[in-house]
């Protein structure tokens, strides 16, 4: 968790919502099955204070990996340890991003082995914006900018389906998570309040 999500918002709308300058190579939308190791749209704030909407590779690569398969595929970073783990701590402090989506998927697992998928969206219909961290990884002629979704312990209805969920960042908190308003982003790494999310059962696949 979180291992799949959906994006339907066009890049032009993302750029307007986040007041960001869009890159020319953003992923195609709609995509109802965004998977790890693909390019995903993200929002970062550059050193000049300008927000950039640009693609990052989903699957964080620590600088010590010798190649892209030099260790576990780090698609998520746990909020409880992100500031301490060597792989993530510098990114958590200095390189945070926002990852817009329409919703994410999770599977409820039954004792008999059956799995019921859910698409989890915002109940108010707004984009579901996940907290992320990013890292530049270089080896020889390969240059990748990679990211992971920050997750936290689930609560309420979400906890009935899975024990983890992405950290969801509200619009008023976007500047703080992006580092535009100084320190204190750690307080944002918590479960979304009950009622924030809507749960849609999907056909098992």
């Amino acid at each position: 968790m979180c291992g799949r999500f959906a994006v339907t918002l066009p890049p032009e709308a993302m750029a307007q919502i986040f007041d960001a300058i869009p890159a020319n190579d953003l992923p195609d939308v709609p995509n109802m099955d965004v998977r790890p190791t693909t390019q995903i749209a993200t929002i970062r704030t550059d050193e000049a204070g300008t927000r950039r909407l640009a693609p990052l590779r989903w699957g964080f690569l620590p600088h010590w990996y010798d190649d892209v398969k030099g260790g576990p595929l780090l698609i998520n970073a746990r909020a409880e340890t992100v500031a301490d783990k060597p792989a993530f701590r510098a990114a958590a402090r200095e390189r945070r991003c926002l990852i817009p989506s329409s919703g994410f998927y999770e599977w409820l697992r039954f004792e008999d082995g059956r799995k019921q998928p859910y698409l989890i969206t915002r109940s108010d219909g707004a984009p579901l914006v996940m907290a992320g961290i990013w890292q530049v990884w270089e080896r020889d002629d390969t240059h990748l900018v990679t990211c992971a979704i920050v997750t936290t312990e689930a609560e309420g209805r979400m906890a009935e389906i899975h024990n983890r969920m992405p950290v969801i960042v509200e619009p008023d908190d976007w500047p703080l998570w992006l580092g535009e308003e100084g320190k204190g982003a750690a307080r944002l790494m918590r479960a979304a309040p009950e009622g924030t999310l809507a749960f849609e059962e999907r056909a098992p696949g």
Side-chain angles (χ1 to χ4, degrees):
M1 185 332 64
C2 167
R4 297 282 193 281
F5 65 92
V7 177
T8 58
L9 199 64
E12 298 81 5
M14 290 188 198
Q16 183 175 8
I17 289 171
F18 292 97
D19 191 22
I21 297 174
N24 295 322
D25 55 347
L26 290 162
D28 293 333
V29 291
N31 184 351
M32 297 302 293
D33 188 23
V34 179
R35 297 177 174 234
T37 74
T38 61
Q39 297 288 308
I40 63 174
T42 68
I43 295 89
R44 293 178 285 163
T45 301
D46 65 20
E47 294 180 356
T50 301
R51 290 184 183 176
R52 302 282 179 177
L53 173 63
L56 299 181
R57 178 190 184 271
W58 183 18
F60 192 97
L61 296 177
H63 65 84
W64 60 80
Y65 278 19
D66 291 328
D67 57 55
V68 295
K69 296 182 179 179
L73 181 61
L74 304 176
I75 62 171
N76 295 157
R78 295 174 69 94
E80 298 87 344
T81 57
V82 69
D84 300 317
K85 281 201 168 185
F88 300 133
R89 62 190 177 198
R93 184 174 61 251
E94 303 167 2
R95 296 186 297 277
R96 298 188 296 271
C97 62
L98 298 171
I99 301 172
S101 76
S102 304
F104 65 95
Y105 296 97
E106 197 50 78
W107 284 258
L108 174 62
R109 289 168 168 79
F110 297 95
E111 291 183 1
D112 61 5
R114 291 182 298 119
K115 294 188 293 185
Q116 172 61 56
Y118 285 83
L119 174 61
I120 300 156
T121 60
R122 286 191 63 109
S123 57
D124 60 7
L128 189 150
V129 181
M130 301 178 285
I133 56 174
W134 62 275
Q135 167 84 19
V136 175
W137 183 85
E138 293 179 305
R139 283 295 183 278
D140 300 324
D141 296 329
T142 302
H143 176 95
L144 297 173
V145 190
T146 68
C147 66
I149 295 170
V150 180
T151 68
T152 190
E153 189 77 17
E155 296 179 1
R157 175 72 177 96
M158 184 67 223
E160 297 174 10
I161 299 172
H162 197 277
N163 65 340
R164 304 293 298 176
M165 65 177 294
V167 169
I168 298 169
V169 187
E170 297 291 339
D172 287 347
D173 294 323
W174 293 347
L176 181 58
W177 185 257
L178 291 173
E180 299 167 357
E181 293 186 349
K183 299 180 180 180
R187 69 172 179 82
L188 305 178
M189 293 191 287
R190 60 186 186 275
E194 190 72 359
T196 302
L197 302 177
F199 302 85
E200 178 187 340
E201 289 190 5
R202 311 287 283 188

